Amino acid sequence: MTSARTLRVVEWSTGTVGRLAIAGILARPELELVGVWVSSDAKDGKDVGELANLGRTLGLTATRDKDALLALEPDCIVHTAMVDDRPFEAFEELLSFLEAGINVVSSGPVFLQYPEGVLSPEQVQQIQDAGARGNASLYVNGIDPGFANDVLPLVMTSLSHRIDEVRVSEIADYSTYYQPVVNNELFGFGKPLDEVPPIFQPGILSLAWGSVVRIIAAGLELRLDDQLAESVEYGTYDDDITTVSGEISKGTRAGVRFSVAGTVNGTPRVVLEHVTRNHPEMMPEWPKPLEGDGIYRIEIKGEPYMKVDFMHHGEHGDHNDSGMMVTAMRLVNCVEAVCAAAPGLVTADELPLVTGRGLVTE
């Protein structure tokens, strides 16, 4: 899979993932960075190299002007803006890019990883229609929801003789994960245990992570029961905790363990689980990484039983930094394949093999 020409790319945001995506675009031989969108006046007009902490200028300035960026007629937008608190507004924004004839790879809204059974048929058709009108494709992915719980577990199942259950888990310490909106508002860390944050209201976990369960089920040709099963358990710590996203007082919500399960005749067959701490010593009875502070675990229960702990960390040792990087690079490295795909929504099971071609240091 090699482009006959250089693909012109616009990066949409310069946040924790966007900065890394910019560096990733610059590293790919078939991509050219032609524009960057920013969300704040403070960043508007600044050199992209400065915003991305590259240690050099690029001679390319960021802008808040959406129309100016669309007028560049890029081949693809790498969309990494924060959308967890505005998923349906972002959904409409992505449709507008497709309508403009621009391919998109995006880190959210996460339900677009595999929206069948999550969104209404009418909403799914909106994507297909917008893609057809603009002759453009949309791919939403990352690491979770994304590679760690779509491509990786489905490839592992190719080794199975019998499958009883597929369980995909994120087990991580979030104390170094700088996402105040996610940690403080959506997850409610530092809030009283009897205050239920938005993401743990009934049905929201299935909206956010149901795509994981359904894409694995589709890959296994499973007909799931109509409703996904949700469970939530909160954790506390017996001391105050200082994190990069804020303070967590003793006795307040300091962690959470939740799951979304797809069942067949009431028996769990595909399970998405998150075990999130803000201190490594809290809730010792919950699953822990075998190594490091953050992993993605894939378990295939059946014959044979298989387990993979996918551990990652950045050059400076932190798993949350590398978590942002693998999210960014899963998108950037898929740009070429998505641009070559049929119009409309593209899911991970429809892409050809994507590798780090061209990235080995010579």
Side-chain angles (χ1 to χ4, degrees):
M1 182 182 60
T2 303
S3 294
R5 60 183 178 86
T6 300
L7 298 172
R8 302 170 73 252
V9 176
V10 164
E11 165 58 32
W12 212 266
S13 89
T14 58
T16 52
V17 177
R19 290 195 297 269
L20 297 168
I22 289 168
I25 293 165
L26 296 174
R28 286 231 54 102
E30 79 280 8
L31 304 183
E32 177 189 2
L33 183 66
V34 297
V36 173
W37 179 86
V38 288
S39 60
S40 69
D41 290 334
K43 294 181 178 181
D44 193 12
K46 288 197 171 182
D47 190 273
V48 172
E50 175 188 347
L51 294 175
N53 299 328
L54 297 179
R56 59 188 174 95
T57 58
L58 295 181
L60 178 67
T61 56
T63 181
R64 296 194 66 193
D65 190 339
K66 173 182 176 179
D67 291 336
L69 291 170
L70 299 187
L72 294 172
E73 298 184 353
D75 295 289
C76 189
I77 289 174
V78 178
H79 183 273
T80 57
M82 170 65 177
V83 301
D84 290 350
D85 55 347
R86 53 180 192 93
F88 290 100
E89 178 185 339
F91 175 76
E92 295 297 330
E93 185 173 64
L94 297 181
L95 290 182
S96 73
F97 297 153
L98 295 180
E99 295 272 7
I102 303 170
N103 300 290
V104 185
V105 295
S106 181
S107 56
V110 292
F111 51 69
L112 292 177
Q113 176 204 25
Y114 191 81
E116 300 289 344
V118 181
L119 297 182
S120 69
E122 292 77 17
Q123 289 170 313
V124 175
Q125 192 60 46
Q126 277 185 278
I127 305 169
Q128 304 299 63
D129 291 345
R133 286 191 292 268
N135 192 31
S137 304
L138 168 65
Y139 175 66
V140 177
N141 214 257
I143 191 65
D144 177 8
F147 177 83
N149 44 43
D150 55 31
V151 173
L152 187 55
L154 284 173
V155 168
M156 284 180 61
T157 65
S158 70
L159 305 177
S160 295
H161 173 69
R162 187 191 76 248
I163 299 172
D164 298 329
E165 180 187 294
V166 178
R167 179 175 294 262
V168 291
S169 306
E170 179 191 84
I171 306 170
D173 183 338
Y174 270 28
S175 61
T176 60
Y177 178 43
Y178 182 71
Q179 282 289 359
V181 172
V182 172
N183 288 343
N184 302 337
E185 302 304 322
L186 298 185
F187 279 17
F189 294 141
K191 304 288 180 66
L193 293 181
D194 59 0
E195 181 180 321
V196 181
I199 203 167
F200 301 125
Q201 300 289 340
I204 302 302
L205 287 175
S206 293
L207 178 65
W209 279 277
S211 62
V212 169
V213 173
R214 294 189 185 281
I215 193 171
I216 294 174
L220 299 177
E221 297 186 352
L222 284 179
R223 185 182 295 276
L224 298 177
D225 298 334
D226 290 341
Q227 292 292 116
L228 301 181
E230 301 176 355
S231 69
V232 181
E233 178 185 358
Y234 301 135
T236 62
Y237 190 57
D238 57 6
D239 203 350
D240 295 342
I241 304 173
T242 298
T243 79
V244 296
S245 294
E247 300 296 318
I248 300 176
S249 300
K250 173 183 177 180
T252 63
R253 186 183 295 104
V256 65
R257 181 182 183 181
F258 66 79
S259 68
V260 178
T263 62
V264 178
N265 298 323
T267 300
R269 295 302 186 188
V270 182
V271 182
L272 173 286
E273 183 176 48
H274 268 227
V275 179
T276 307
R277 297 177 171 86
N278 278 284
H279 194 285
E281 296 178 6
M282 67 171 290
M283 307 304 289
E285 66 273 23
W286 288 356
K288 288 187 173 184
L290 295 179
E291 180 182 358
D293 296 316
I295 62 163
Y296 293 98
R297 176 171 291 164
I298 297 94
E299 293 178 89
I300 314 294
K301 300 177 181 179
E303 180 60 30
Y305 171 82
M306 295 178 283
K307 179 169 74 172
V308 166
D309 275 10
F310 166 31
M311 186 272 288
H312 56 83
H313 62 75
E315 291 180 342
H316 302 292
D318 186 77
H319 63 286
N320 284 313
D321 286 346
S322 58
M324 299 301 98
M325 180 170 288
V326 294
T327 295
M329 293 314 303
R330 179 61 184 168
L331 297 174
V332 171
N333 289 334
C334 286
V335 165
E336 189 176 14
V338 172
C339 287
L345 185 71
V346 181
T347 55
D349 56 338
E350 297 170 332
L351 285 180
L353 178 66
V354 175
T355 74
R357 179 182 55 80
L359 299 178
V360 177
T361 303
E362 296 181 359

